[in-house]
């Protein structure tokens, strides 16, 4: 007997709690989710994120329907889109004796199946506890060899204080040991509410061990990426400097002089016949400085006209030099000079060295020579190839300047000779200075290989192109393996040349034929293994012929997603016969390669062509247009049949349904067929097939929609099927109503000419 409450759910909510305080589960800001099933409502894996219980660290709660058949607590990420983080409990059932708190007892990590064990008890709320920690940001982890990852491991001396020199920044002092692992947390009411970064820890190396000031910002900073992006601490190799030239000699100290620690020399001079000051940092090899050349200097002096002064363009993209210097302008002479900040940097390192708060009296300064007048630029502004002769402006010359490509707007071209093993990039030059690199960054130069050595046309664009990624994404040059082709079948024989024939270089055969009893022309490219062609099959052909009706002709659907074949061909239609045929472009491509081979500007006279047989008449489609399940028998049209065609679902507009039998391990998708050809895949792309698991094997109703559905994401987002464990409903009485369980958990009951849609039901 089935008792029905029409339109009212009988699944009342009950609150369940999960207690997990072990560090292996809580690491990296992990949280707890609950996945439940078998009642009027159920979740999709890995469930829904539970709510931390205020004032009770490690305890989480969630209201689940009281009629669930089973539930699992799952380790998930703490923020963002929910995802499984590798640990879970065993399958559980909701106790009926009032117990509602499950405490996980596994003290050591337990990943995957069968899952963690624990005990059920009755949850009793703790008495409110006055917070022992001030709200704010704290350093957490393994610090000076002592490890702890919970709020209980924090103390006041780990709390960051506001940095008075930068209001958006915080600072704390700590002693770090090599091998320590640290990150920053936000604490509110004695509970950790956020982790910085959310995943991963910074492991302290020898260069950053010892007593440190650690700086923190709540927003990500790219220049702090080596530490995770949210905090930073200086390395131990603080530079020692000669702070200014000495009196009373009146002369600048010998620039080659340095004391035992003087890794760089700082010189501050008053410019002769001027109120201005010269500040210079010199890389001092005499003191054992093995760092690369300098490329950055930034000076902020109190009272200077114009504010901060930067070396070059201030981007750290200048060429490496032994010494960097700037002129700091002052409107009048001063008795002393307060340098608020003097920052400099070496090439290839994101951080900066600094001297802050340095005051120098006028009496301590000597005078330097006035600066040389500015040098007129020797290079025209524009884009240059760099690397063949060095990596600074001195390596550039007019013969390395790219010119605008008249055939492609926004593109530039340079003809030059490349040697195998050379490393090259492109730079932008303005006023004799390099202002941009393509690609930017270090260790990403293109190294010329044998296939691209020799005299080359190099093409460049200022914006990244994915198809040029092999060269860094901004420039491209053709390989030496230009295909040699038989350009058309020969006269006077009147027959097409043997397709297996090729001369020594004929890696492909190009055939151009006039179709018998027609004005049309057939163009074909054949992959010629006889000439040593080891490339994969062809999958693309694109022909642009002057005077052809309909414009460009493409092989297949022109997307390079066709199957690999030995030969690709197209029929180029002409309204009337011609004395000659001008092929503006013939482009073809091999499978798995983004570029194209090309013959451009080929003219063939009618006398040079032989006639080929007329094409076969079009084949009538054998498949009805519509949506098909694919993968069980293969991945092309030949694998499809009428029994795999989805039918419209009368119960849901825009939805289709197919009843079929699936085997565990099969990979499946849905395709759209028009005129016997596959025109769309659901989902699109390689490696996106759904693999049938044991829970979904057997005879199934598969539901499909042409638009993506988030709740079907487990199957790829476009189709769905039930698992093998639905609640069985049966009734053998003679007048029993017809009962059907829908995929959304609802029940349809039909008796006589009436149908009832049941939201909740009690089965007896």
């Amino acid at each position: 007997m089935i008792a029905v409450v029409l339109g009212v759910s009988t699944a009342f909510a009950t609150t369940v709690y999960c207690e997990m305080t072990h560090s292996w589960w809580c690491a990296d800001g992990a949280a707890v989710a609950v996945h439940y099933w078998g009642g009027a409502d159920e979740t999709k894996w890995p469930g829904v994120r539970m709510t931390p219980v205020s004032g009770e660290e490690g305890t989480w709660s969630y209201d689940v329907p009281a009629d669930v058949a089973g539930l699992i607590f799952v380790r998930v990420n703490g923020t963002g889109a929910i995802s499984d983080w590798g640990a879970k409990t065993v399958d559980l059932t909701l106790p009926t004796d009032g117990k509602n708190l499950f405490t996980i007892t596994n003290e050591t990590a337990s990943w995957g199946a069968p899952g963690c064990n624990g005990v059920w008890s009755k949850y009793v709320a703790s008495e409110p506890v006055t917070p022992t920690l001030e709200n704010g940001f704290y350093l957490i982890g393994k610090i000076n060899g002592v490890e702890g990852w919970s709020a209980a491991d924090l103390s006041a001396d780990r709390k960051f204080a506001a940095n008075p020199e930068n209001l958006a920044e915080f600072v704390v002092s700590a002693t770090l040991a090599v091998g320590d692992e640290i990150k920053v947390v936000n604490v509110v009411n004695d509970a950790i509410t956020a982790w910085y970064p959310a995943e991963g820890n910074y492991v302290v190396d020898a260069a950053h061990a010892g007593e440190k000031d650690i700086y923190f910002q709540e927003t990500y900073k790219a220049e702090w990426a080596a530490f995770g992006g949210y905090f930073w601490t200086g390395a131990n190799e603080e530079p020692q400097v000669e702070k200014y030239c000495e009196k009373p000699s009146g002369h600048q100290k010998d620039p080659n002089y340095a004391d035992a620690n003087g890794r760089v020399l700082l010189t501050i001079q008053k410019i002769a016949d001027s109120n201005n000051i010269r500040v210079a940092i010199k890389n001092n090899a005499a003191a054992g400085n093995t760092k690369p050349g300098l490329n950055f200097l930034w000076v902020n002096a109190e009272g200077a006209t114009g504010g901060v002064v930067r070396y070059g363009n201030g981007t750290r993209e200048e060429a490496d030099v032994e010494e960097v210097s700037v002129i700091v302008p002052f409107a009048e002479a001063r008795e002393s000079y307060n340098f608020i900040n003097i920052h400099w940097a070496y090439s290839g390192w994101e951080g900066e060295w600094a001297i802050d708060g340095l005051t120098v009296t006028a009496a301590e300064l000597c005078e330097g020579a006035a600066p040389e007048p500015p040098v007129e630029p020797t290079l025209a502004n524009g884009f240059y190839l760099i690397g063949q002769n060095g990596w600074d402006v001195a390596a550039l010359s007019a013969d390395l300047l790219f010119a605008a490509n008249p055939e492609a707007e926004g593109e530039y071209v340079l003809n030059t000779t490349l040697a195998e093993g050379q490393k090259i990039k492109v730079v932008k030059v303005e006023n004799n200075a390099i202002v941009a690199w393509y690609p930017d960054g270090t260790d990403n130069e293109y190294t010329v290989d044998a296939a691209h050595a020799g005299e080359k046309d190099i093409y460049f664009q200022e914006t990244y192109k994915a198809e040029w990624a092999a060269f860094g994404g901004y420039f491209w040059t053709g390989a030496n393996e230009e295909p040699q082709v038989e350009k058309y079948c020969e006269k006077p024989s009147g027959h097409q040349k043997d397709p297996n024939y090729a001369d020594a270089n004929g890696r492909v055969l190009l055939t151009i034929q006039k179709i018998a009893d027609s004005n049309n022309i057939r163009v074909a490219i054949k992959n010629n293994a006889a000439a040593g062609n080891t490339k994969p099959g062809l999958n693309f052909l694109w022909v642009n012929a002057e005077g052809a009706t309909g414009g460009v002709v493409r092989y297949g659907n022109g997307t390079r997603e066709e199957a690999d074949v030995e030969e690709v061909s197209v029929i180029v239609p002409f309204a009337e016969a011609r004395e000659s045929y001008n092929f503006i472009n013939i482009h073809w491509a091999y499978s798995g390669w983004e570029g194209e081979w090309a013959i451009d500007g080929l003219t063939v006279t009618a006398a040079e062509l032989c006639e080929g047989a007329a094409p076969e008449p079009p084949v009538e489609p054998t498949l009805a247009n519509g949506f098909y399940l694919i993968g069980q028998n293969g991945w092309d049209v030949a694998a499809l049949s009428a029994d795999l065609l989805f039918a419209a679902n009368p119960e849901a507009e825009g939805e289709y349904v197919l009843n079929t039998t699936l085997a565990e391990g099969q990979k499946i998708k849905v395709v759209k067929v028009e005129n016997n050809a596959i025109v769309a895949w659901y989902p699109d792309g390689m490696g996106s097939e759904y693999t049938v698991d044991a829970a979904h094997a057997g005879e199934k109703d598969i539901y499909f929609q042409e638009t993506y559905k988030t709740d079907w994401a487990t199957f790829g987002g476009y189709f769905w099927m039930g698992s093998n464990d639905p609640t069985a409903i049966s009734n053998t009485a003679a007048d029993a109503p017809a009962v059907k369980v829908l995929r959304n958990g609802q029940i349809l009951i039909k008796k006589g000419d009436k149908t009832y849609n049941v939201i909740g039901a009690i089965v007896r």
Side-chain angles (χ1 to χ4, degrees), residues 462-731:
E462 200 168 358
T463 53
Y464 182 88
K465 290 186 68 171
E467 57 265 41
W468 291 359
F471 300 85
Y474 295 90
F475 57 88
W476 174 88
T477 184
N480 297 328
E481 192 190 351
E482 292 297 336
Q484 304 296 319
V485 299
E486 290 297 315
K487 299 254 178 102
Y488 32 81
C489 54
E490 292 183 336
K491 286 292 188 179
S493 68
H495 298 286
Q496 181 182 5
K497 183 171 283 188
D498 177 4
N500 294 316
Y501 168 86
D503 61 17
N505 293 319
R507 299 184 182 89
V508 296
L509 291 175
L510 166 65
T511 300
I512 303 176
Q513 298 171 288
K514 182 176 180 300
I515 299 298
D517 303 319
S518 165
N519 295 319
N520 300 337
I521 299 295
R522 177 180 181 268
V523 178
I525 294 287
K526 185 178 179 69
N527 195 350
N528 187 27
N533 194 340
T534 58
K535 290 190 179 295
L538 297 149
N539 70 345
F540 177 75
L541 178 60
W542 189 91
V543 178
N544 183 11
E546 187 179 274
T549 58
V552 172
V553 184
R554 296 172 174 84
Y555 168 73
N557 61 15
T559 63
R560 304 196 192 177
E561 294 176 357
E562 300 289 344
D564 299 346
V565 291
E566 185 182 9
E567 183 180 61
V568 286
S569 65
V570 295
I571 304 298
V572 183
F574 287 89
E576 57 187 4
R578 302 171 69 93
E579 292 185 359
S580 64
Y581 299 87
N582 177 23
F583 295 93
I584 302 167
N585 313 107
I586 302 175
H587 290 196
W588 67 97
Y590 298 104
S591 168
W593 187 59
E594 289 187 345
E596 299 169 6
W597 298 114
I599 296 173
D600 297 331
L602 171 64
T603 299
V604 182
T605 67
E608 291 174 304
L609 294 182
C610 57
E611 286 193 349
E616 295 292 328
V619 178
E620 289 298 319
T622 58
L623 294 171
N625 292 346
F627 300 100
Y628 288 78
L629 190 69
I630 196 168
Q632 294 168 298
N633 308 315
W635 294 100
D636 55 13
V637 170
L640 304 178
S641 55
D643 60 333
L644 297 173
L645 175 64
F646 282 80
N649 182 0
E651 297 173 4
E653 186 176 354
E655 190 171 274
Y656 299 83
V657 64
L658 169 68
N659 181 269
T660 191
T661 300
L662 301 176
E664 183 177 357
Q666 282 183 336
K667 295 178 182 292
I668 57 173
K669 282 191 177 190
V670 177
V671 293
K672 185 176 185 179
V673 170
E674 292 181 358
N675 298 326
N676 245 42
I678 294 173
V679 297
W681 296 75
Y682 305 90
D684 198 9
M686 300 292 291
S688 57
E689 309 86 358
Y690 169 65
T691 303
V692 178
D693 57 17
H696 295 88
E699 185 177 348
K700 292 289 167 186
D701 283 338
I702 304 175
Y703 298 88
F704 165 75
Q705 281 196 10
E706 200 168 358
T707 54
Y708 183 88
K709 291 188 68 174
T710 303
D711 47 351
W712 291 0
T714 302
F715 301 88
Y718 294 91
F719 56 88
W720 177 92
M721 71 197 80
S723 63
N724 294 332
D725 59 352
T727 302
I729 298 178
S730 61
N731 198 324

Side-chain angles (χ1 to χ4, degrees), residues 39-94:
D41 190 17
E42 59 184 30
T43 61
K44 294 186 179 297
W45 188 264
V48 290
R49 196 177 275 118
M50 300 178 73
T51 302
V53 177
S54 178
E56 299 188 29
E57 185 177 357
T59 302
W60 307 72
S61 71
Y62 191 80
D63 293 342
V64 302
D67 63 347
V68 299
L71 68 159
I72 294 175
F73 296 107
V74 186
R75 183 177 186 261
V76 297
N77 55 318
T79 59
I82 192 168
S83 62
D84 182 351
W85 269 19
K88 64 182 183 65
T89 64
V90 296
D91 289 6
L92 304 171
T93 55
L94 196 62

Side-chain angles (χ1 to χ4, degrees), residues 6 22 177 332 352 392 457 623 679 710 731 744 750:
L6 296 179
H22 300 305
E332 57 187 3
E352 301 169 7
D392 55 13
D457 284 336
L623 294 171
V679 297
T710 303
N731 198 324
N744 61 6
K750 184 172 183 181

Side-chain angles (χ1 to χ4, degrees), residues 310-318 433-436:
R310 296 173 173 83
Y311 167 74
N313 62 14
T315 63
R316 306 195 191 177
E317 295 175 356
E318 300 289 344
I434 296 172
V435 297

